[in-house]
Amino acid sequence: MEMIYFHFASNFNTTMSNQILQIVVAISLLLSYAKIEARQSLSEVEDLELERQLKLINKPAIKTIKTNDGDLYDCVDFYEQPAFDHPLLQNHDFHPEMKPTLSKSRIDAKASIFERPSKIGLEGNGCPSGTVPIKRVTKEDLIQHQHMQCMDKSHRNGHGNNITNSKASISLDDVNPYQYAETQIPSSDRNIILGGGMITTIHAPINVQKDQFSGARVRLEAGLSDAIEVGWIVHPTLNGDNKPRLYAKFEAGSAGCFNTLCSGFVLVDTNIPLGMPLVPSRIGGPVSSQLMYLEQDTTSGNWWVMLGEDYKQVGFWPKSIFTTLQAHALSAQYGGITYSPQGLPFPPMGSGLFPNKNLLENAYFRKCTFMYVVDDKVVTYSLDHIGTNQFESSTNLYKVQDFIDQGDVLGHLIVYGGPGDKH
């Protein structure tokens, strides 16, 4: 509404002036009331939709577990979990005891002498057999999730899918709120990638504000539409705190989400929920680490998330929800990622330090591997065995370094991180 100014000449009739002023005030009040009514009406519609979604996501619980971190995990019947609300999974034949057909080719996942594995799993025995742990979702969680979806869709495919050229160092500060320090297996139609993973150190970057995040992941992609990733993330909007937490995420065309905030990811393990907090490393030690791996079932084509020295099978994304990822992945990325909306300085990545190969200070991935099909056989290779690119979206914020063939303990080593924007 345009501002209206009244200049009263000294010879104006006072009564007339007051009448005009009263009319203007009344009109303003009516306009304001109309706007409030419209907002309330829209809010009511949105509220009903949120309630409907909450009923779909929060299934009846056989048992509820409250952790020391204050999280609530509902033990939901395997067949009632949110994954099966997906329209392509209505007639599935999955069951709680299912096991994937996986390659026997494995890396030695034991922790090095200066690392300690970050604890995974709920207190006690977790959920009863036949159920899976689903983090309780609140209305505020859904509102924040919708906000994240808007952010993500605005910039989908504005990152890894564009880094298929040689080593790059270009500034995206003004055009993309996502920043990366990664090593990549470049996308190629000749690639037949069936898995990838690493042993990653866990960190808790400081000063990550609301609507920002900072994390690290391994990500597999097939073209511009489909991708999956697993890693750790500090994401106040997603999780309500600044703790590093386990996450998994998928993109399938225009669909996709973190963890189980939408239908798609099928949980199998009764003790490891997505979104659970992880113990972070401290600069100078001790160093906290965890093996994280993505692998495709060679029989069904489903994509599994596995954790820990024993490759614990947490759950999977069914092949049927994808298009280009139904066959295999074409590229892989290993490294750090941050997000910050315009107007906020970028948060630290990893330990907050630039790489200097001091493994008691730096964030790193070791034993970085991928699974490849060679002569109809699935083989696990170190990243040393294929050409990779290093991508730093803004070198004044974050950096990444590769160190190949670092021996039996480290293998292919990727060191990454940075302080972000200090201004």
Side-chain angles (χ1 to χ4, degrees):
M1 181 177 177
E2 293 183 358
M3 295 294 295
I4 303 175
Y5 296 93
F6 289 95
H7 175 68
F8 296 102
S10 58
N11 59 348
F12 250 50
N13 181 276
T14 302
T15 302
M16 181 64 70
S17 300
N18 288 337
Q19 290 177 348
I20 294 174
L21 184 58
Q22 290 171 4
I23 293 172
V24 171
V25 170
I27 293 173
S28 298
L29 288 173
L30 286 172
L31 289 173
S32 298
Y33 180 76
K35 289 178 182 179
I36 292 171
E37 282 289 299
R39 283 199 300 269
Q40 289 179 339
S41 176
L42 181 62
S43 177
E44 290 173 3
V45 172
E46 290 176 337
D47 192 62
L48 288 173
E49 176 59 22
L50 289 173
E51 291 289 349
R52 185 189 70 82
Q53 292 182 34
L54 280 175
K55 290 180 181 179
L56 287 175
I57 295 175
N58 289 328
K59 307 296 184 179
I62 294 174
K63 173 184 176 181
T64 297
I65 299 173
K66 184 174 182 178
T67 69
N68 292 332
D69 297 285
D71 297 329
L72 291 177
Y73 294 97
D74 290 328
C75 298
V76 175
D77 185 285
F78 173 85
Y79 296 100
E80 297 296 324
Q81 62 179 295
F84 301 135
D85 292 327
H86 196 291
L88 296 176
L89 302 180
Q90 297 299 301
N91 299 312
H92 70 88
D93 57 358
F94 305 137
H95 56 86
E97 293 79 28
M98 63 188 299
K99 299 293 181 183
T101 304
L102 302 173
S103 169
K104 296 180 180 180
S105 179
R106 284 282 182 270
I107 63 171
D108 181 1
K110 292 182 180 179
S112 67
I113 59 173
F114 52 85
E115 292 175 0
R116 63 181 185 189
S118 181
K119 181 183 179 298
I120 54 174
L122 295 170
E123 297 289 337
N125 298 319
C127 287
S129 178
T131 69
V132 292
I134 306 290
K135 188 177 180 183
R136 181 84 59 84
V137 177
T138 66
K139 190 177 294 186
E140 179 65 22
D141 293 334
L142 278 183
I143 293 171
Q144 299 293 0
H145 179 230
Q146 290 177 350
H147 176 58
M148 288 186 296
Q149 284 183 313
C150 292
M151 293 189 312
D152 198 39
K153 288 178 181 178
S154 297
H155 303 282
R156 177 80 56 93
N157 299 322
H159 49 290
N161 297 311
N162 291 336
I163 57 177
T164 56
N165 52 343
S166 59
K167 181 176 174 74
S169 179
I170 57 177
S171 175
L172 298 179
D173 291 356
D174 297 328
V175 297
N176 198 333
Y178 290 91
Q179 297 288 322
Y180 306 88
E182 296 187 321
T183 291
Q184 183 202 40
I185 299 175
S187 181
S188 171
D189 291 338
R190 294 173 295 178
N191 288 341
I192 304 177
I193 301 173
L194 299 186
M198 72 289 175
I199 298 171
T200 176
T201 52
I202 313 298
H203 300 271
I206 62 173
N207 298 327
V208 181
Q209 302 177 46
K210 185 179 179 181
D211 291 338
Q212 295 182 325
F213 66 72
S214 181
R217 84 281 174 83
V218 58
R219 175 182 171 94
L220 304 181
E221 295 182 347
L224 297 177
S225 62
D226 292 356
I228 55 175
E229 57 187 81
V230 64
W232 61 264
I233 196 167
V234 173
H235 198 325
T237 301
L238 176 66
N239 297 312
D241 58 34
N242 285 71
K243 299 173 184 176
R245 290 176 178 261
L246 169 70
Y247 85 94
K249 182 185 177 186
F250 81 99
E251 297 166 15
S254 60
C257 65
F258 284 93
N259 303 334
T260 55
L261 280 172
C262 66
S263 56
F265 187 82
V266 180
L267 274 166
V268 171
D269 191 87
T270 60
N271 194 39
I272 303 178
L274 296 179
M276 66 169 298
L278 301 171
V279 177
S281 304
R282 293 184 179 181
I283 294 178
V287 176
S288 178
S289 67
Q290 190 57 253
L291 178 136
M292 299 184 180
Y293 219 87
L294 299 169
E295 184 174 342
Q296 189 173 35
D297 185 329
T298 55
T299 299
S300 68
N302 301 328
W303 288 95
W304 284 77
V305 170
M306 295 178 289
L307 299 174
E309 295 180 6
D310 56 353
Y311 289 83
K312 190 74 170 177
Q313 295 152 12
V314 178
F316 62 92
W317 292 283
K319 169 185 176 180
S320 59
I321 71 173
F322 297 108
T323 302
T324 55
L325 260 180
Q326 286 199 2
H328 51 261
L330 302 176
S331 67
Q333 294 148 31
Y334 307 70
I337 177 175
T338 65
Y339 176 92
S340 185
Q342 189 173 6
L344 289 179
F346 282 94
M349 176 190 289
S351 68
L353 300 176
F354 286 123
N356 59 19
K357 207 184 175 183
N358 183 338
L359 300 188
L360 291 177
E361 295 184 350
N362 286 148
Y364 63 86
F365 295 166
R366 65 180 179 90
K367 288 294 185 79
C368 299
T369 59
F370 67 104
M371 307 192 76
Y372 211 75
V373 176
V374 180
D375 297 329
D376 295 326
K377 293 182 179 180
V378 180
V379 182
T380 297
Y381 283 126
S382 164
L383 289 190
D384 298 354
H385 287 76
I386 194 169
T388 58
N389 299 331
Q390 289 74 57
F391 179 72
E392 299 160 335
S393 56
S394 188
T395 55
N396 63 312
L397 302 179
Y398 318 109
K399 297 182 185 297
V400 62
Q401 293 180 357
D402 264 355
F403 301 94
I404 66 173
D405 192 17
Q406 296 295 297
D408 293 338
V409 174
L410 298 179
H412 188 108
L413 178 68
I414 297 173
V415 186
Y416 69 94
D421 191 343
K422 296 181 180 180
H423 301 296

